[in-house]
Coordinates of all heavy atoms in Angstrom, one line a residue:
F3 N -25.7 -11.6 13.9 CA -25.2 -12.8 14.6 C -25.5 -12.7 16.0 O -25.5 -11.6 16.5 CB -23.7 -13.0 14.4 CG -23.4 -13.3 13.0 CD1 -23.0 -12.3 12.1 CD2 -23.4 -14.6 12.5 CE1 -22.6 -12.5 10.8 CE2 -23.0 -14.9 11.1 CZ -22.6 -13.9 10.3
K4 N -25.7 -13.8 16.7 CA -25.9 -13.8 18.1 C -24.7 -13.2 18.8 O -24.8 -12.4 19.8 CB -26.2 -15.2 18.6 CG -26.6 -15.3 20.1 CD -27.1 -16.6 20.5 CE -26.1 -17.7 20.3 NZ -26.6 -19.0 20.7
N5 N -23.5 -13.6 18.4 CA -22.2 -13.2 19.0 C -21.1 -13.5 18.0 O -21.3 -14.0 16.9 CB -21.9 -13.8 20.3 CG -22.0 -15.3 20.3 OD1 -21.6 -15.9 19.3 ND2 -22.6 -15.9 21.3
Y6 N -19.9 -13.1 18.3 CA -18.7 -13.3 17.4 C -18.5 -14.8 17.2 O -18.1 -15.1 16.1 CB -17.5 -12.6 18.1 CG -16.3 -12.6 17.2 CD1 -16.2 -12.0 16.0 CD2 -15.1 -13.4 17.6 CE1 -15.1 -11.9 15.2 CE2 -14.0 -13.4 16.8 CZ -14.0 -12.7 15.6 OH -12.8 -12.6 14.8
D7 N -18.6 -15.6 18.2 CA -18.4 -17.0 18.0 C -19.4 -17.6 16.9 O -19.0 -18.5 16.1 CB -18.7 -17.8 19.3 CG -17.6 -17.5 20.4 OD1 -16.5 -17.1 20.0 OD2 -17.9 -17.6 21.6
E8 N -20.6 -17.1 16.8 CA -21.5 -17.6 15.8 C -21.0 -17.2 14.4 O -21.0 -17.9 13.4 CB -22.9 -17.0 16.0 CG -23.9 -17.6 15.0 CD -25.3 -17.0 15.3 OE1 -25.5 -15.8 15.4 OE2 -26.2 -17.8 15.4
F9 N -20.4 -15.9 14.3 CA -19.8 -15.6 13.0 C -18.6 -16.4 12.7 O -18.5 -16.9 11.5 CB -19.3 -14.1 13.1 CG -18.4 -13.7 12.0 CD1 -18.9 -13.4 10.7 CD2 -17.0 -13.7 12.2 CE1 -18.1 -13.1 9.7 CE2 -16.2 -13.4 11.1 CZ -16.7 -13.1 9.9
V10 N -17.7 -16.8 13.7 CA -16.5 -17.6 13.5 C -17.0 -19.0 13.0 O -16.4 -19.5 12.1 CB -15.7 -17.7 14.7 CG1 -14.6 -18.8 14.6 CG2 -15.1 -16.3 15.0
E11 N -18.1 -19.5 13.6 CA -18.6 -20.8 13.1 C -19.0 -20.8 11.7 O -18.7 -21.7 10.9 CB -19.8 -21.2 14.0 CG -20.3 -22.6 13.9 CD -21.4 -22.9 14.9 OE1 -21.3 -22.6 16.0 OE2 -22.5 -23.4 14.4
L12 N -19.7 -19.7 11.3 CA -20.0 -19.6 9.8 C -18.8 -19.5 8.9 O -18.7 -20.2 7.9 CB -21.0 -18.4 9.7 CG -21.3 -18.2 8.2 CD1 -22.2 -19.3 7.6 CD2 -22.1 -16.8 8.0
I13 N -17.9 -18.6 9.3 CA -16.8 -18.4 8.4 C -15.9 -19.7 8.2 O -15.4 -20.0 7.2 CB -15.9 -17.2 8.8 CG1 -15.0 -16.7 7.6 CG2 -15.0 -17.6 10.0 CD1 -15.8 -16.0 6.6
K14 N -15.9 -20.5 9.3 CA -15.1 -21.7 9.2 C -15.8 -22.8 8.4 O -15.2 -23.8 8.0 CB -14.8 -22.3 10.6 CG -13.8 -21.5 11.4 CD -13.4 -22.1 12.7 CE -12.3 -21.3 13.3 NZ -11.8 -21.9 14.5
S15 N -17.0 -22.6 8.0 CA -17.8 -23.5 7.1 C -17.6 -23.2 5.6 O -18.2 -23.8 4.8 CB -19.2 -23.5 7.4 OG -19.8 -22.3 6.9
C16 N -16.7 -22.2 5.3 CA -16.6 -21.8 3.9 C -15.8 -22.8 3.0 O -15.8 -22.6 1.7 CB -15.9 -20.4 3.8 SG -14.1 -20.4 4.2
G17 N -15.1 -23.8 3.5 CA -14.4 -24.7 2.7 C -12.9 -24.4 2.5 O -12.2 -25.0 1.7
I18 N -12.5 -23.2 3.1 CA -11.0 -22.8 3.0 C -10.5 -22.8 4.4 O -11.2 -22.4 5.3 CB -10.9 -21.5 2.4 CG1 -11.4 -21.5 0.9 CG2 -9.5 -21.0 2.4 CD1 -11.5 -20.1 0.2
K19 N -9.3 -23.3 4.7 CA -8.8 -23.2 6.0 C -8.9 -21.8 6.6 O -8.6 -20.8 5.9 CB -7.3 -23.7 6.0 CG -7.1 -25.2 5.8 CD -5.6 -25.5 5.6 CE -5.2 -25.0 4.4 NZ -4.5 -25.4 3.4
C20 N -9.2 -21.7 7.9 CA -9.3 -20.4 8.5 C -8.5 -20.3 9.8 O -8.6 -21.3 10.6 CB -10.8 -20.1 8.9 SG -11.9 -20.1 7.5
V21 N -7.9 -19.2 10.1 CA -7.3 -18.9 11.3 C -7.6 -17.5 11.8 O -7.8 -16.7 10.9 CB -5.7 -19.1 11.3 CG1 -5.4 -20.6 11.1 CG2 -5.1 -18.2 10.2
E22 N -7.7 -17.2 13.1 CA -8.0 -15.9 13.6 C -6.8 -15.2 13.9 O -6.0 -15.5 14.8 CB -8.9 -16.0 14.8 CG -9.4 -14.7 15.3 CD -10.4 -14.8 16.4 OE1 -10.6 -15.8 16.9 OE2 -11.0 -13.7 16.7
A23 N -6.6 -14.1 13.1 CA -5.5 -13.1 13.3 C -4.1 -13.8 13.6 O -3.4 -13.4 14.5 CB -5.8 -12.2 14.5
D24 N -3.8 -14.8 12.8 CA -2.6 -15.5 13.0 C -2.0 -15.9 11.7 O -2.6 -16.6 10.9 CB -2.8 -16.8 13.8 CG -1.6 -17.6 14.1 OD1 -0.5 -17.0 14.3 OD2 -1.7 -18.9 14.1
Y25 N -0.8 -15.4 11.4 CA -0.1 -15.8 10.2 C 0.9 -16.9 10.5 O 1.7 -16.7 11.4 CB 0.6 -14.6 9.6 CG 1.4 -15.0 8.3 CD1 0.8 -15.3 7.2 CD2 2.8 -15.1 8.5 CE1 1.5 -15.7 6.1 CE2 3.5 -15.6 7.3 CZ 2.9 -15.8 6.2 OH 3.6 -16.3 5.1
N26 N 0.8 -18.0 9.8 CA 1.7 -19.1 10.0 C 2.3 -19.6 8.7 O 1.6 -20.1 7.9 CB 1.0 -20.2 10.7 CG 1.9 -21.4 11.1 OD1 3.0 -21.6 10.6 ND2 1.4 -22.3 11.9
K27 N 3.6 -19.4 8.5 CA 4.2 -19.7 7.3 C 4.1 -21.1 6.9 O 4.2 -21.5 5.7 CB 5.7 -19.3 7.3 CG 6.0 -17.8 7.3 CD 7.4 -17.5 7.3 CE 7.7 -16.1 7.5 NZ 9.1 -15.8 7.6
S28 N 3.9 -22.0 7.9 CA 3.8 -23.4 7.6 C 2.3 -23.9 7.0 O 2.1 -25.0 6.7 CB 4.1 -24.3 8.8 OG 3.2 -24.1 9.8
T29 N 1.4 -22.9 7.2 CA 0.1 -23.2 6.6 C 0.1 -23.1 5.1 O 0.4 -22.1 4.5 CB -1.0 -22.2 7.2 OG1 -0.9 -22.2 8.6 CG2 -2.4 -22.6 6.7
P30 N -0.2 -24.2 4.4 CA -0.2 -24.1 3.0 C -1.5 -23.4 2.5 O -2.5 -23.4 3.0 CB -0.4 -25.6 2.5 CG -0.9 -26.3 3.7 CD -0.5 -25.5 4.9
A31 N -1.2 -22.6 1.4 CA -2.2 -21.7 0.8 C -3.1 -22.6 0.0 O -2.6 -23.6 -0.5 CB -1.6 -20.6 0.0
P32 N -4.3 -22.3 -0.2 CA -5.0 -21.0 0.3 C -5.5 -21.2 1.6 O -5.9 -22.3 2.1 CB -6.2 -20.9 -0.7 CG -6.6 -22.3 -1.1 CD -5.3 -23.1 -1.1
Y33 N -5.6 -20.1 2.4 CA -6.2 -20.0 3.7 C -6.6 -18.6 4.0 O -6.2 -17.6 3.3 CB -5.2 -20.5 4.8 CG -3.9 -19.7 5.0 CD1 -3.9 -18.6 5.9 CD2 -2.8 -19.9 4.2 CE1 -2.7 -17.9 6.1 CE2 -1.6 -19.2 4.4 CZ -1.7 -18.2 5.3 OH -0.5 -17.4 5.4
L34 N -7.5 -18.5 5.0 CA -8.1 -17.1 5.4 C -7.6 -16.8 6.7 O -7.5 -17.6 7.7 CB -9.6 -17.3 5.5 CG -10.4 -17.6 4.2 CD1 -11.8 -17.8 4.5 CD2 -10.2 -16.4 3.2
V35 N -7.3 -15.5 7.0 CA -7.1 -14.9 8.3 C -8.2 -13.9 8.5 O -8.5 -13.1 7.6 CB -5.7 -14.3 8.3 CG1 -5.5 -13.5 9.7 CG2 -4.6 -15.2 8.2
Y36 N -8.9 -14.0 9.7 CA -9.9 -13.1 10.0 C -9.7 -12.4 11.4 O -9.1 -13.1 12.2 CB -11.3 -13.8 9.9 CG -11.4 -14.9 10.9 CD1 -11.9 -14.7 12.1 CD2 -11.0 -16.2 10.5 CE1 -12.0 -15.7 13.1 CE2 -11.1 -17.2 11.4 CZ -11.6 -17.0 12.7 OH -11.7 -18.0 13.6
F37 N -10.3 -11.2 11.5 CA -10.2 -10.6 12.8 C -11.1 -9.4 12.9 O -11.5 -8.8 11.8 CB -8.7 -10.1 13.2 CG -8.2 -9.2 12.2 CD1 -8.2 -7.8 12.3 CD2 -7.4 -9.7 11.1 CE1 -7.6 -7.0 11.4 CE2 -6.8 -8.9 10.2 CZ -6.9 -7.5 10.3
K38 N -11.6 -9.0 14.1 CA -12.4 -7.8 14.2 C -11.5 -6.6 14.3 O -10.5 -6.5 15.0 CB -13.1 -7.8 15.6 CG -14.4 -8.5 15.6 CD -15.2 -8.2 16.8 CE -14.8 -9.2 18.0 NZ -15.6 -9.0 19.1
D39 N -11.8 -5.6 13.4 CA -10.9 -4.4 13.3 C -11.5 -3.3 14.1 O -10.8 -2.6 14.8 CB -10.8 -4.0 11.8 CG -9.8 -2.9 11.6 OD1 -8.7 -3.0 12.2 OD2 -10.2 -1.9 10.9
E40 N -12.8 -3.1 14.1 CA -13.5 -2.1 14.8 C -14.8 -2.6 15.4 O -15.4 -3.5 14.7 CB -13.8 -0.9 13.9 CG -12.7 -0.2 13.2 CD -13.1 0.9 12.3 OE1 -14.3 1.2 12.2 OE2 -12.2 1.4 11.6

Side-chain angles (χ1 to χ4, degrees):
F3 292 93
K4 185 169 62 174
N5 53 39
Y6 184 65
D7 291 336
E8 187 178 51
F9 167 78
V10 169
E11 190 176 309
L12 176 64
I13 202 71
K14 287 187 173 184
S15 73
C16 75
I18 300 173
K19 290 174 285 226
C20 300
V21 293
E22 184 171 10
D24 180 34
Y25 174 76
N26 182 345
K27 291 180 187 177
S28 65
T29 303
Y33 63 93
L34 298 172
V35 174
Y36 60 90
F37 57 93
K38 272 193 275 188
D39 187 47
E40 297 175 12

